[in-house]
mmCIF file of all heavy atoms in Angstrom:
data_model
loop_
_atom_site.group_PDB
_atom_site.id
_atom_site.type_symbol
_atom_site.label_atom_id
_atom_site.label_comp_id
_atom_site.label_asym_id
_atom_site.label_seq_id
_atom_site.Cartn_x
_atom_site.Cartn_y
_atom_site.Cartn_z
ATOM 1 N N LYS O 17 -34.958 158.996 -6.643
ATOM 2 C CA LYS O 17 -34.109 159.750 -5.717
ATOM 3 C C LYS O 17 -32.629 159.536 -6.036
ATOM 4 O O LYS O 17 -31.840 160.482 -6.045
ATOM 5 C CB LYS O 17 -34.413 159.322 -4.275
ATOM 6 C CG LYS O 17 -33.660 160.117 -3.223
ATOM 7 C CD LYS O 17 -34.069 159.661 -1.825
ATOM 8 C CE LYS O 17 -33.301 160.438 -0.753
ATOM 9 N NZ LYS O 17 -33.703 160.007 0.618
ATOM 10 N N GLN O 18 -32.254 158.301 -6.332
ATOM 11 C CA GLN O 18 -30.860 157.987 -6.644
ATOM 12 C C GLN O 18 -30.432 158.638 -7.969
ATOM 13 O O GLN O 18 -29.311 159.149 -8.088
ATOM 14 C CB GLN O 18 -30.673 156.475 -6.720
ATOM 15 C CG GLN O 18 -30.807 155.764 -5.387
ATOM 16 C CD GLN O 18 -30.799 154.245 -5.520
ATOM 17 O OE1 GLN O 18 -31.048 153.705 -6.614
ATOM 18 N NE2 GLN O 18 -30.511 153.543 -4.437
ATOM 19 N N ALA O 19 -31.331 158.612 -8.940
ATOM 20 C CA ALA O 19 -31.010 159.196 -10.242
ATOM 21 C C ALA O 19 -30.808 160.706 -10.138
ATOM 22 O O ALA O 19 -29.859 161.259 -10.707
ATOM 23 C CB ALA O 19 -32.118 158.878 -11.247
ATOM 24 N N ILE O 20 -31.689 161.377 -9.397
ATOM 25 C CA ILE O 20 -31.576 162.832 -9.233
ATOM 26 C C ILE O 20 -30.313 163.181 -8.451
ATOM 27 O O ILE O 20 -29.620 164.162 -8.761
ATOM 28 C CB ILE O 20 -32.835 163.391 -8.552
ATOM 29 C CG1 ILE O 20 -34.037 163.265 -9.506
ATOM 30 C CG2 ILE O 20 -32.635 164.846 -8.127
ATOM 31 C CD1 ILE O 20 -35.354 163.663 -8.909
ATOM 32 N N ALA O 21 -29.981 162.367 -7.456
ATOM 33 C CA ALA O 21 -28.746 162.595 -6.692
ATOM 34 C C ALA O 21 -27.530 162.471 -7.607
ATOM 35 O O ALA O 21 -26.588 163.282 -7.532
ATOM 36 C CB ALA O 21 -28.655 161.607 -5.539
ATOM 37 N N ALA O 22 -27.542 161.482 -8.488
ATOM 38 C CA ALA O 22 -26.425 161.290 -9.420
ATOM 39 C C ALA O 22 -26.306 162.481 -10.371
ATOM 40 O O ALA O 22 -25.193 162.926 -10.691
ATOM 41 C CB ALA O 22 -26.618 159.995 -10.196
ATOM 42 N N ILE O 23 -27.452 163.019 -10.800
ATOM 43 C CA ILE O 23 -27.439 164.200 -11.680
ATOM 44 C C ILE O 23 -26.785 165.373 -10.959
ATOM 45 O O ILE O 23 -25.893 166.051 -11.501
ATOM 46 C CB ILE O 23 -28.878 164.578 -12.115
ATOM 47 C CG1 ILE O 23 -29.460 163.502 -13.029
ATOM 48 C CG2 ILE O 23 -28.880 165.941 -12.825
ATOM 49 C CD1 ILE O 23 -30.942 163.666 -13.297
ATOM 50 N N ASN O 24 -27.219 165.617 -9.732
ATOM 51 C CA ASN O 24 -26.692 166.753 -8.950
ATOM 52 C C ASN O 24 -25.203 166.606 -8.645
ATOM 53 O O ASN O 24 -24.477 167.602 -8.536
ATOM 54 C CB ASN O 24 -27.488 166.912 -7.659
ATOM 55 C CG ASN O 24 -28.923 167.362 -7.907
ATOM 56 O OD1 ASN O 24 -29.188 168.057 -8.894
ATOM 57 N ND2 ASN O 24 -29.839 166.960 -7.043
ATOM 58 N N GLU O 25 -24.750 165.363 -8.515
ATOM 59 C CA GLU O 25 -23.337 165.114 -8.228
ATOM 60 C C GLU O 25 -22.483 165.121 -9.499
ATOM 61 O O GLU O 25 -21.247 165.049 -9.420
ATOM 62 C CB GLU O 25 -23.186 163.757 -7.532
ATOM 63 C CG GLU O 25 -23.797 163.720 -6.132
ATOM 64 C CD GLU O 25 -23.929 162.301 -5.596
ATOM 65 O OE1 GLU O 25 -23.467 161.359 -6.304
ATOM 66 O OE2 GLU O 25 -24.502 162.116 -4.502
ATOM 67 N N GLY O 26 -23.161 165.210 -10.664
ATOM 68 C CA GLY O 26 -22.435 165.180 -11.929
ATOM 69 C C GLY O 26 -21.982 163.792 -12.331
ATOM 70 O O GLY O 26 -21.140 163.637 -13.222
ATOM 71 N N ASN O 27 -22.542 162.775 -11.681
ATOM 72 C CA ASN O 27 -22.193 161.393 -11.990
ATOM 73 C C ASN O 27 -23.161 160.886 -13.066
ATOM 74 O O ASN O 27 -24.106 160.140 -12.792
ATOM 75 C CB ASN O 27 -22.282 160.537 -10.728
ATOM 76 C CG ASN O 27 -21.696 159.141 -10.928
ATOM 77 O OD1 ASN O 27 -21.439 158.726 -12.059
ATOM 78 N ND2 ASN O 27 -21.486 158.429 -9.829
ATOM 79 N N MET O 28 -22.887 161.286 -14.294
ATOM 80 C CA MET O 28 -23.825 161.008 -15.377
ATOM 81 C C MET O 28 -23.903 159.520 -15.735
ATOM 82 O O MET O 28 -24.965 159.029 -16.102
ATOM 83 C CB MET O 28 -23.439 161.819 -16.615
ATOM 84 C CG MET O 28 -23.690 163.310 -16.457
ATOM 85 S SD MET O 28 -25.440 163.661 -16.117
ATOM 86 C CE MET O 28 -25.299 164.871 -14.818
ATOM 87 N N GLU O 29 -22.810 158.817 -15.628
ATOM 88 C CA GLU O 29 -22.857 157.385 -15.931
ATOM 89 C C GLU O 29 -23.781 156.652 -14.968
ATOM 90 O O GLU O 29 -24.552 155.783 -15.366
ATOM 91 C CB GLU O 29 -21.443 156.787 -15.886
ATOM 92 C CG GLU O 29 -20.606 157.100 -17.110
ATOM 93 C CD GLU O 29 -19.445 156.134 -17.269
ATOM 94 O OE1 GLU O 29 -19.374 155.148 -16.498
ATOM 95 O OE2 GLU O 29 -18.629 156.355 -18.174
ATOM 96 N N GLU O 30 -23.731 157.021 -13.692
ATOM 97 C CA GLU O 30 -24.600 156.387 -12.703
ATOM 98 C C GLU O 30 -26.056 156.732 -12.973
ATOM 99 O O GLU O 30 -26.947 155.871 -12.870
ATOM 100 C CB GLU O 30 -24.201 156.837 -11.290
ATOM 101 C CG GLU O 30 -25.045 156.235 -10.168
ATOM 102 C CD GLU O 30 -24.947 154.709 -10.093
ATOM 103 O OE1 GLU O 30 -23.992 154.134 -10.677
ATOM 104 O OE2 GLU O 30 -25.823 154.092 -9.472
ATOM 105 N N PHE O 31 -26.317 157.975 -13.318
ATOM 106 C CA PHE O 31 -27.675 158.403 -13.673
ATOM 107 C C PHE O 31 -28.192 157.566 -14.839
ATOM 108 O O PHE O 31 -29.332 157.058 -14.806
ATOM 109 C CB PHE O 31 -27.664 159.895 -14.026
ATOM 110 C CG PHE O 31 -28.759 160.334 -14.952
ATOM 111 C CD1 PHE O 31 -30.090 160.267 -14.566
ATOM 112 C CD2 PHE O 31 -28.452 160.813 -16.224
ATOM 113 C CE1 PHE O 31 -31.107 160.666 -15.438
ATOM 114 C CE2 PHE O 31 -29.455 161.213 -17.086
ATOM 115 C CZ PHE O 31 -30.783 161.136 -16.697
ATOM 116 N N ILE O 32 -27.376 157.397 -15.873
ATOM 117 C CA ILE O 32 -27.781 156.621 -17.049
ATOM 118 C C ILE O 32 -28.070 155.171 -16.668
ATOM 119 O O ILE O 32 -29.073 154.590 -17.089
ATOM 120 C CB ILE O 32 -26.690 156.678 -18.135
ATOM 121 C CG1 ILE O 32 -26.530 158.103 -18.674
ATOM 122 C CG2 ILE O 32 -26.997 155.696 -19.261
ATOM 123 C CD1 ILE O 32 -27.725 158.642 -19.406
ATOM 124 N N ARG O 33 -27.218 154.578 -15.854
ATOM 125 C CA ARG O 33 -27.418 153.184 -15.448
ATOM 126 C C ARG O 33 -28.750 152.997 -14.730
ATOM 127 O O ARG O 33 -29.453 152.005 -14.940
ATOM 128 C CB ARG O 33 -26.280 152.732 -14.538
ATOM 129 C CG ARG O 33 -24.946 152.575 -15.238
ATOM 130 C CD ARG O 33 -23.878 152.147 -14.225
ATOM 131 N NE ARG O 33 -22.556 152.260 -14.808
ATOM 132 C CZ ARG O 33 -22.014 151.360 -15.613
ATOM 133 N NH1 ARG O 33 -22.703 150.256 -15.900
ATOM 134 N NH2 ARG O 33 -20.810 151.533 -16.107
ATOM 135 N N ILE O 34 -29.086 153.938 -13.874
ATOM 136 C CA ILE O 34 -30.321 153.823 -13.081
ATOM 137 C C ILE O 34 -31.554 153.877 -13.986
ATOM 138 O O ILE O 34 -32.453 153.029 -13.887
ATOM 139 C CB ILE O 34 -30.376 154.924 -12.010
ATOM 140 C CG1 ILE O 34 -29.269 154.710 -10.976
ATOM 141 C CG2 ILE O 34 -31.751 154.941 -11.325
ATOM 142 C CD1 ILE O 34 -29.076 155.888 -10.028
ATOM 143 N N VAL O 35 -31.604 154.880 -14.879
ATOM 144 C CA VAL O 35 -32.807 155.021 -15.713
ATOM 145 C C VAL O 35 -32.876 153.939 -16.793
ATOM 146 O O VAL O 35 -33.971 153.591 -17.253
ATOM 147 C CB VAL O 35 -32.901 156.432 -16.346
ATOM 148 C CG1 VAL O 35 -33.037 157.490 -15.266
ATOM 149 C CG2 VAL O 35 -31.722 156.728 -17.242
ATOM 150 N N LEU O 36 -31.716 153.374 -17.170
ATOM 151 C CA LEU O 36 -31.738 152.316 -18.179
ATOM 152 C C LEU O 36 -32.467 151.077 -17.682
ATOM 153 O O LEU O 36 -33.041 150.334 -18.486
ATOM 154 C CB LEU O 36 -30.315 151.944 -18.596
ATOM 155 C CG LEU O 36 -29.698 152.745 -19.747
ATOM 156 C CD1 LEU O 36 -28.328 152.188 -20.117
ATOM 157 C CD2 LEU O 36 -30.615 152.761 -20.968
ATOM 158 N N VAL O 37 -32.447 150.844 -16.383
ATOM 159 C CA VAL O 37 -33.171 149.693 -15.829
ATOM 160 C C VAL O 37 -34.648 149.794 -16.203
ATOM 161 O O VAL O 37 -35.272 148.820 -16.654
ATOM 162 C CB VAL O 37 -33.012 149.620 -14.295
ATOM 163 C CG1 VAL O 37 -33.920 148.521 -13.720
ATOM 164 C CG2 VAL O 37 -31.557 149.366 -13.920
ATOM 165 N N TYR O 38 -35.209 150.995 -16.066
ATOM 166 C CA TYR O 38 -36.609 151.217 -16.421
ATOM 167 C C TYR O 38 -36.825 151.076 -17.925
ATOM 168 O O TYR O 38 -37.732 150.362 -18.391
ATOM 169 C CB TYR O 38 -37.076 152.597 -15.945
ATOM 170 C CG TYR O 38 -38.269 153.118 -16.698
ATOM 171 C CD1 TYR O 38 -39.514 152.495 -16.595
ATOM 172 C CD2 TYR O 38 -38.143 154.211 -17.555
ATOM 173 C CE1 TYR O 38 -40.609 152.959 -17.312
ATOM 174 C CE2 TYR O 38 -39.231 154.677 -18.267
ATOM 175 C CZ TYR O 38 -40.460 154.058 -18.148
ATOM 176 O OH TYR O 38 -41.536 154.508 -18.860
ATOM 177 N N TYR O 39 -35.980 151.747 -18.719
ATOM 178 C CA TYR O 39 -36.177 151.739 -20.164
ATOM 179 C C TYR O 39 -35.947 150.350 -20.759
ATOM 180 O O TYR O 39 -36.629 149.953 -21.711
ATOM 181 C CB TYR O 39 -35.273 152.779 -20.837
ATOM 182 C CG TYR O 39 -35.843 154.182 -20.708
ATOM 183 C CD1 TYR O 39 -35.256 155.126 -19.879
ATOM 184 C CD2 TYR O 39 -36.994 154.540 -21.399
ATOM 185 C CE1 TYR O 39 -35.786 156.392 -19.744
ATOM 186 C CE2 TYR O 39 -37.546 155.806 -21.279
ATOM 187 C CZ TYR O 39 -36.937 156.732 -20.451
ATOM 188 O OH TYR O 39 -37.481 157.979 -20.317
ATOM 189 N N ASP O 40 -35.032 149.587 -20.196
ATOM 190 C CA ASP O 40 -34.805 148.218 -20.678
ATOM 191 C C ASP O 40 -36.012 147.332 -20.388
ATOM 192 O O ASP O 40 -36.409 146.501 -21.219
ATOM 193 C CB ASP O 40 -33.547 147.626 -20.041
ATOM 194 C CG ASP O 40 -32.267 148.186 -20.648
ATOM 195 O OD1 ASP O 40 -32.366 149.011 -21.577
ATOM 196 O OD2 ASP O 40 -31.166 147.811 -20.185
ATOM 197 N N LYS O 41 -36.601 147.497 -19.206
ATOM 198 C CA LYS O 41 -37.799 146.721 -18.863
ATOM 199 C C LYS O 41 -38.946 147.066 -19.804
ATOM 200 O O LYS O 41 -39.685 146.189 -20.260
ATOM 201 C CB LYS O 41 -38.209 146.994 -17.414
ATOM 202 C CG LYS O 41 -37.320 146.337 -16.363
ATOM 203 C CD LYS O 41 -37.844 146.645 -14.968
ATOM 204 C CE LYS O 41 -36.989 145.979 -13.903
ATOM 205 N NZ LYS O 41 -37.462 146.309 -12.526
ATOM 206 N N THR O 42 -39.090 148.352 -20.094
ATOM 207 C CA THR O 42 -40.161 148.797 -20.988
ATOM 208 C C THR O 42 -39.975 148.218 -22.385
ATOM 209 O O THR O 42 -40.925 147.749 -23.013
ATOM 210 C CB THR O 42 -40.185 150.339 -21.067
ATOM 211 O OG1 THR O 42 -40.409 150.875 -19.762
ATOM 212 C CG2 THR O 42 -41.290 150.822 -21.999
ATOM 213 N N TYR O 43 -38.735 148.231 -22.869
ATOM 214 C CA TYR O 43 -38.454 147.688 -24.202
ATOM 215 C C TYR O 43 -38.770 146.187 -24.242
ATOM 216 O O TYR O 43 -39.389 145.698 -25.190
ATOM 217 C CB TYR O 43 -36.992 147.928 -24.586
ATOM 218 C CG TYR O 43 -36.637 147.326 -25.930
ATOM 219 C CD1 TYR O 43 -37.069 147.921 -27.107
ATOM 220 C CD2 TYR O 43 -35.895 146.141 -26.010
ATOM 221 C CE1 TYR O 43 -36.774 147.355 -28.340
ATOM 222 C CE2 TYR O 43 -35.597 145.571 -27.233
ATOM 223 C CZ TYR O 43 -36.034 146.189 -28.399
ATOM 224 O OH TYR O 43 -35.750 145.626 -29.615
ATOM 225 N N HIS O 44 -38.341 145.465 -23.213
ATOM 226 C CA HIS O 44 -38.582 144.029 -23.154
ATOM 227 C C HIS O 44 -40.088 143.737 -23.131
ATOM 228 O O HIS O 44 -40.561 142.799 -23.801
ATOM 229 C CB HIS O 44 -37.924 143.432 -21.912
ATOM 230 C CG HIS O 44 -38.072 141.941 -21.797
ATOM 231 N ND1 HIS O 44 -37.395 141.050 -22.608
ATOM 232 C CD2 HIS O 44 -38.853 141.179 -20.962
ATOM 233 C CE1 HIS O 44 -37.742 139.823 -22.295
ATOM 234 N NE2 HIS O 44 -38.617 139.867 -21.307
#
């Protein structure tokens, strides 16, 4: 929900930060 809200608001850095938490965990 937070990531989609950031996308709609045009806050791309915040969107990236949110999804990176998932991708970093997956990589680890």
Side-chain angles (χ1 to χ4, degrees):
K17 184 178 179 180
Q18 291 172 341
I20 292 175
I23 292 170
N24 292 331
E25 293 167 4
N27 190 347
M28 290 301 136
E29 283 200 7
E30 180 62 17
F31 154 64
I32 295 295
R33 290 179 192 279
I34 294 169
V35 297
L36 272 184
V37 173
Y38 158 67
Y39 281 109
D40 284 359
K41 286 182 179 178
T42 300
Y43 177 74
H44 182 72

